[in-house]
Amino acid sequence: MKRLITGFLLSITVTVFSQANFQGKAVYQSKTTVDTNFGGRQLSEERKKQILERMKNMLEKTYVLSFTKEESLYKEEEKLETPGSRGGFRFGGFAGGGTMYKNVKDARLLESTEFFGKKFLITENAEKPKWELGSETKQIGNYTCFKATLVKKTNALDWRNMRRRNRDSEEKKDSSKVKKVSEELELPKEIVVTAWYTPQIPVSNGPGKYWGLPGLILEVNEGRTTILCSEITMNPSEKVAIDEPTKGKEITREEYNKVVKEKMEEMRERFRSRRGGNDRGGRGFH
């Protein structure tokens, strides 16, 4: 009887994914943890609570992945600001947002995003991640998921993996494993990414840039950030047009990172000038 049920479910899966107009929808919850020590500053518990509440919009996000067998759109779901939040903390392009298009067949990636009021269309080759498949499994909702890992080089602009430098043990550290971001912050050069994927949904896709596994990725653990699928809908009644984004100045990922780095350095200088009583303002985009 068990074999009959398994065979029946397998036949349903094959039928669903063989449909020419098949589409799926997956909702992901992303959460990033931060150092609640706040650099050792003496803050009251109430003040810490206020800061974390203001940071919530940046640290907790919801994304929707609309996918077919070969293409996908990954988009942040907009949230209404809560009263008294005053917009929370905003870090321009760092906080995500925009729309990411992936074509896993052609290994192409396009990201439409906005940074300091200017729209960009970032183009890059979607290089297939070098996953190491494991045999460990766990259940996520109704799906059996398998573990996969990879070692990923960090992006110097990714604030989520930055950490406060520990000067007391600095001489004991292996400096070859970290990048110095500032006098206060450092960034590990590499991190281990863990993904959990389900062959029950035979689509080589997942949240953000992650793909290349024999099944939909339902969970990703990347440094201090966890992305977890909370809802899956097969062939939703409301179809989403999975088209390549076209809005924004076309730019490569390397060029975009250079723009962001220059703007951040400019803002850092403005902040230093303000502290020194000599704020001359910053330059805009040209």
Side-chain angles (χ1 to χ4, degrees), residues 155-164 181 185-188 224:
N155 184 334
L157 300 174
D158 187 359
W159 58 268
R160 295 173 304 172
N161 289 307
M162 292 180 187
R163 63 194 185 198
R164 187 166 294 277
V181 179
L185 299 172
E186 65 182 14
L187 180 72
R224 293 181 172 183

Coordinates of all heavy atoms in Angstrom, one line a residue, residues 155-164 181 185-188 224:
N155 N 31.8 39.4 -0.1 CA 31.8 40.7 -0.7 C 32.2 41.8 0.3 O 31.5 41.9 1.3 CB 30.4 41.0 -1.4 CG 30.4 42.2 -2.2 OD1 31.2 43.2 -2.0 ND2 29.5 42.3 -3.1
A156 N 33.2 42.6 0.0 CA 33.6 43.6 0.9 C 32.5 44.6 1.2 O 32.6 45.4 2.2 CB 34.8 44.3 0.3
L157 N 31.4 44.6 0.4 CA 30.3 45.6 0.7 C 29.2 44.9 1.5 O 28.2 45.6 1.7 CB 29.8 46.1 -0.6 CG 30.9 46.9 -1.5 CD1 30.3 47.3 -2.8 CD2 31.4 48.1 -0.7
D158 N 29.3 43.7 1.8 CA 28.2 42.9 2.5 C 28.3 43.2 4.0 O 29.0 42.5 4.7 CB 28.3 41.5 2.1 CG 27.1 40.7 2.7 OD1 26.2 41.3 3.3 OD2 27.0 39.5 2.5
W159 N 27.5 44.1 4.5 CA 27.5 44.5 5.9 C 27.0 43.4 6.8 O 27.3 43.3 8.0 CB 26.6 45.7 6.1 CG 25.2 45.5 5.7 CD1 24.7 45.8 4.5 CD2 24.1 45.0 6.4 NE1 23.3 45.5 4.4 CE2 23.0 45.0 5.6 CE3 24.0 44.5 7.7 CZ2 21.8 44.5 6.1 CZ3 22.8 44.0 8.2 CH2 21.7 44.0 7.4
R160 N 26.2 42.4 6.2 CA 25.7 41.4 7.0 C 26.7 40.5 7.7 O 26.5 39.9 8.7 CB 24.7 40.5 6.2 CG 23.5 41.3 5.7 CD 22.7 40.5 4.7 NE 23.5 40.0 3.6 CZ 23.1 39.1 2.7 NH1 21.9 38.6 2.8 NH2 23.9 38.8 1.7
N161 N 27.9 40.3 7.0 CA 28.9 39.4 7.6 C 30.0 40.2 8.2 O 31.0 39.6 8.6 CB 29.4 38.6 6.4 CG 28.4 37.5 6.0 OD1 27.9 36.8 6.8 ND2 28.1 37.5 4.7
M162 N 29.9 41.5 8.4 CA 30.9 42.3 9.1 C 30.8 42.0 10.6 O 29.7 41.8 11.1 CB 30.8 43.8 8.7 CG 31.1 44.1 7.3 SD 30.9 45.9 7.0 CE 31.2 45.9 5.2
R163 N 31.9 42.1 11.2 CA 31.9 41.9 12.7 C 32.9 42.9 13.3 O 33.9 43.4 12.7 CB 32.3 40.5 13.0 CG 33.7 40.1 12.6 CD 33.9 38.6 12.7 NE 35.3 38.2 12.4 CZ 35.7 37.0 12.0 NH1 34.8 36.0 11.9 NH2 36.9 36.7 11.8
R164 N 32.7 43.2 14.6 CA 33.6 44.1 15.3 C 34.9 43.5 15.6 O 35.0 42.3 16.0 CB 32.9 44.6 16.6 CG 33.7 45.7 17.3 CD 32.8 46.3 18.4 NE 31.6 47.0 17.8 CZ 31.7 48.2 17.3 NH1 32.8 48.9 17.4 NH2 30.6 48.7 16.8
V181 N 38.0 46.1 7.3 CA 37.0 47.0 6.7 C 37.3 48.5 7.2 O 37.3 49.4 6.5 CB 35.6 46.6 7.0 CG1 34.6 47.6 6.4 CG2 35.3 45.2 6.5
L185 N 35.8 47.5 12.2 CA 35.2 46.3 11.6 C 36.1 45.5 10.8 O 37.1 46.0 10.3 CB 34.0 46.8 10.7 CG 32.9 47.6 11.4 CD1 31.9 48.1 10.4 CD2 32.1 46.7 12.4
E186 N 35.8 44.2 10.7 CA 36.5 43.3 9.9 C 35.5 42.3 9.2 O 34.3 42.3 9.6 CB 37.5 42.5 10.7 CG 36.9 41.5 11.7 CD 38.0 40.8 12.5 OE1 39.2 41.2 12.5 OE2 37.6 39.8 13.2
L187 N 36.0 41.6 8.2 CA 35.1 40.7 7.4 C 35.9 39.4 7.1 O 37.0 39.5 6.6 CB 34.7 41.4 6.1 CG 33.8 40.7 5.2 CD1 32.4 40.6 5.7 CD2 33.8 41.4 3.8
P188 N 35.3 38.3 7.4 CA 36.0 37.0 7.0 C 36.1 36.9 5.5 O 35.2 37.3 4.8 CB 35.1 35.9 7.6 CG 33.7 36.6 7.8 CD 34.0 38.0 8.1
R224 N 25.5 35.2 9.2 CA 24.5 35.6 10.2 C 23.1 35.6 9.6 O 22.2 36.0 10.3 CB 24.8 37.0 10.7 CG 26.1 37.0 11.6 CD 26.4 38.4 12.2 NE 27.5 38.4 13.1 CZ 27.9 39.4 13.8 NH1 27.2 40.6 13.6 NH2 28.9 39.3 14.7

